[in-house]
Amino acid sequence: MTWLHFGYALLGLYMIWFTILLFKKKFSRALLLFGIAHIPYLLINLVAPFRGIMDPDYAGYSFGLLNLPQGPLVPLVVGSIVVSCLVIVSKAWLDQMEKLWKFSFVVDLFLTIAIAGPVFIGILIDPADASIQLGEFLTISGYVVALIILGIFSGPTFYACFYSWKKAFRSQGAT
């Protein structure tokens, strides 16, 4: 079994789990969007936690400010991101975030500072170097990539960080 097959299997499990959660319909629109903001981190990191420890040919993990060599740091750091995001999505869609807002804020702040912000800023600084390949003959580059990254990846992370901060510290201002 290749890592691609392993990734497909994990994607299938995520899809089944998320479908179950969505059919329960316990979330508000805000919690639905908040959960969706964390899904890109699950999809981007489908196999990295496993490859980091099990694949001797794995080059290491590099995303945003995170640069980890192959070995135990990859499953420790990236695995923590994956598990945290899975818990946040699950709890948000089950409307069980009451005691998790501060945890979520810390996770979202880390993702904003270490990944989403640097990736977006890097594209804005050098748009000519940014590209997304969608097959052999379709390459998107420049500011279009910045808009795509902002809309799908960085923007939702910025929103999640702000939303979790607002929820985590709203009661402290009222007391």
Side-chain angles (χ1 to χ4, degrees):
M1 178 160 86
T2 68
W3 286 108
L4 183 62
H5 292 111
F6 188 73
Y8 284 146
L10 285 173
L11 178 61
L13 291 173
Y14 284 149
M15 289 175 62
I16 291 167
W17 177 242
F18 292 149
T19 301
I20 290 167
L21 294 177
L22 290 171
F23 275 116
K24 290 187 178 202
K25 296 182 182 175
K26 294 189 175 197
F27 49 85
S28 65
R29 182 174 178 250
L31 287 175
L32 174 67
L33 294 174
F34 179 75
I36 289 171
H38 296 86
I39 291 176
Y41 293 97
L42 295 172
L43 298 181
I44 288 171
N45 296 306
L46 279 172
V47 298
F50 302 98
R51 281 192 75 185
I53 198 91
M54 297 186 328
D55 185 354
D57 297 325
Y58 186 56
Y61 182 86
S62 181
F63 196 28
L65 297 179
L66 295 178
N67 290 302
L68 307 170
Q70 185 267 344
L73 277 179
V74 175
L76 182 66
V77 175
V78 181
S80 296
I81 291 170
V82 169
V83 170
S84 296
C85 288
L86 185 60
V87 167
I88 290 169
V89 173
S90 299
K91 292 297 188 175
W93 289 359
L94 290 171
D95 194 14
Q96 298 174 351
M97 288 293 296
E98 301 84 29
K99 297 181 182 190
L100 291 176
W101 285 117
K102 287 183 182 177
F103 167 76
S104 178
F105 173 66
V106 170
V107 170
D108 292 333
L109 185 62
F110 171 78
L111 294 175
T112 296
I113 292 169
I115 300 175
V119 167
F120 184 65
I121 291 168
I123 291 170
L124 288 178
I125 289 172
D126 190 6
D129 194 36
S131 66
I132 297 174
Q133 285 193 292
L134 301 170
E136 291 180 50
F137 302 107
L138 179 59
T139 300
I140 302 169
S141 59
Y143 288 108
V144 175
V145 173
L147 287 173
I148 291 170
I149 293 296
L150 181 63
I152 295 174
F153 186 71
S154 296
T157 305
F158 301 154
Y159 160 78
C161 188
F162 173 74
Y163 189 78
S164 61
W165 169 77
K166 192 169 79 170
K167 291 291 197 175
F169 299 106
R170 70 168 182 240
S171 62
Q172 290 182 355
T175 57

